[in-house]
């Protein structure tokens, strides 16, 4: 079955609206519950890249992010029956992923900082990392961009888990305050407060 948007799917600038995507996710979830593995594969393909980006920016480690993404999808599959549609599927999925990442960081304690040079070398082997690294211009611009990226990611890793999470979800994923509140389990006011504090800390660092 073709899961791409059909002519009847509402579009916003050629992209299915969030409501339309949420409805499509619900249909896929129902098919998973009926035992259709291809439907879950479609959900994995749809959100794998975005979830990996969130986990990578939380852990600053390629292997950890890949392992946590796999763990997240496994937990989602095992608990798909508990998803009732009260929130959007991707916020439910992100909640599982964020919790897994925070637990991982607490277990390991040791903060491994971002190494832009290694990421740049590995980027050709991984589309997700290539997207994170971003396009480079001339040599001077690329060097300055690398230095800034390195400092920004070092600063990001120095934030607390709760502050780093809201920055990653808001600034990098573009989620709304309401969506982030649903994922991390707090109020929108708390999300705004954490974002304000986190941005001050990042500027200072």
């Amino acid at each position: 079955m073709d899961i791409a948007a059909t002519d009847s799917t509402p579009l916003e600038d050629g992209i299915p609206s969030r409501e339309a995507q949420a409805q499509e996710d619900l249909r896929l979830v129902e098919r998973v519950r009926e035992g259709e593995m291809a439907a879950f594969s479609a959900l994995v393909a749809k959100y794998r890249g975005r979830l990996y980006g969130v986990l990578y920016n939380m852990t600053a480690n390629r292997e950890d992010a890949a392992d946590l993404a796999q763990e997240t999808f496994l937990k989602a599959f095992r608990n798909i029956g508990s998803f009732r549609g009260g929130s959007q599927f991707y916020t439910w999925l992100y909640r599982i992923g964020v919790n897994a990442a925070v637990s991982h960081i607490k277990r390991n304690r040791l903060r491994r900082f971002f190494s832009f040079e290694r990421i740049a070398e590995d980027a050709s082997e991984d589309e997700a990392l290539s997207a994170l690294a971003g396009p480079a211009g001339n040599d001077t611009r690329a060097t300055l961009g690398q230095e800034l990226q390195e400092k920004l990611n070092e600063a990001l890793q120095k934030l607390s888990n709760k502050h780093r999470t809201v920055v990653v979800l808001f600034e990098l994923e573009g989620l709304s305050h309401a969506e982030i509140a649903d994922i991390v389990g707090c109020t929108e006011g708390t999300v705004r407060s954490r974002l304000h504090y986190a941005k001050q800390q990042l500027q200072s660092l």
Side-chain angles (χ1 to χ4, degrees):
M1 178 178 179
D2 186 5
I3 64 168
T6 64
D7 292 339
S8 61
T9 303
L11 298 179
E12 294 178 354
D13 298 326
I15 301 174
S17 68
R18 286 197 173 188
E19 182 179 351
Q21 291 190 52
Q23 290 301 315
E24 178 61 28
D25 287 350
L26 285 175
R27 287 191 289 270
L28 289 171
V29 167
E30 286 303 318
R31 287 163 54 188
V32 175
R33 289 173 176 162
E34 293 169 0
E36 189 176 338
M37 288 299 298
F40 190 75
S41 295
L43 288 170
V44 172
K46 184 175 183 179
Y47 292 111
R48 177 174 49 205
R50 290 177 62 185
L51 178 65
Y52 177 89
V54 169
L55 297 172
Y56 178 81
N57 281 290
M58 290 189 67
T59 63
N61 183 275
R62 175 184 178 181
E63 290 76 16
D64 288 348
D67 289 344
L68 287 167
Q70 183 176 9
E71 177 185 336
T72 299
F73 281 117
L74 182 59
K75 286 183 178 179
F77 179 75
R78 288 175 174 171
N79 295 283
I80 199 75
S82 67
F83 177 69
R84 300 299 180 186
S87 61
Q88 297 197 55
F89 175 80
Y90 72 86
T91 61
W92 180 75
L93 180 69
Y94 279 19
R95 189 183 309 131
I96 297 173
V98 166
N99 288 339
V102 170
S103 295
H104 170 81
I105 293 169
K106 287 180 177 178
R107 283 196 306 269
N108 288 273
R109 299 295 178 186
L110 180 62
R111 305 304 173 98
R112 287 166 290 189
F113 292 144
F114 181 99
S115 172
F116 188 91
E117 290 77 11
R118 180 175 177 182
I119 294 304
E121 292 172 359
D122 292 343
S124 61
E125 301 175 8
D126 195 306
E127 289 184 9
L129 289 178
S130 180
L132 286 169
N138 57 47
D139 292 342
T140 301
R141 180 181 176 187
T143 300
L144 291 174
Q146 290 178 13
E147 292 176 355
L148 177 59
Q149 187 71 60
E150 182 177 355
K151 290 184 180 297
L152 286 173
N153 280 277
E154 278 193 16
L156 185 63
Q157 295 308 308
K158 291 179 181 178
L159 296 178
S160 68
N161 292 330
K162 64 182 181 181
H163 290 104
R164 186 189 317 146
T165 299
V166 295
V167 169
V168 169
L169 294 177
F170 184 78
E171 297 292 349
L172 303 182
E173 279 298 296
L175 300 187
S176 68
H177 293 157
E179 290 169 326
I180 297 171
D182 186 29
I183 291 170
V184 303
C186 67
T187 66
E188 290 183 52
T190 299
V191 170
R192 285 190 288 269
S193 176
R194 289 179 183 177
L195 276 171
H196 178 72
Y197 176 82
K199 288 178 181 179
Q200 287 184 323
Q201 289 297 105
L202 286 173
Q203 288 174 347
S204 174
L205 290 167

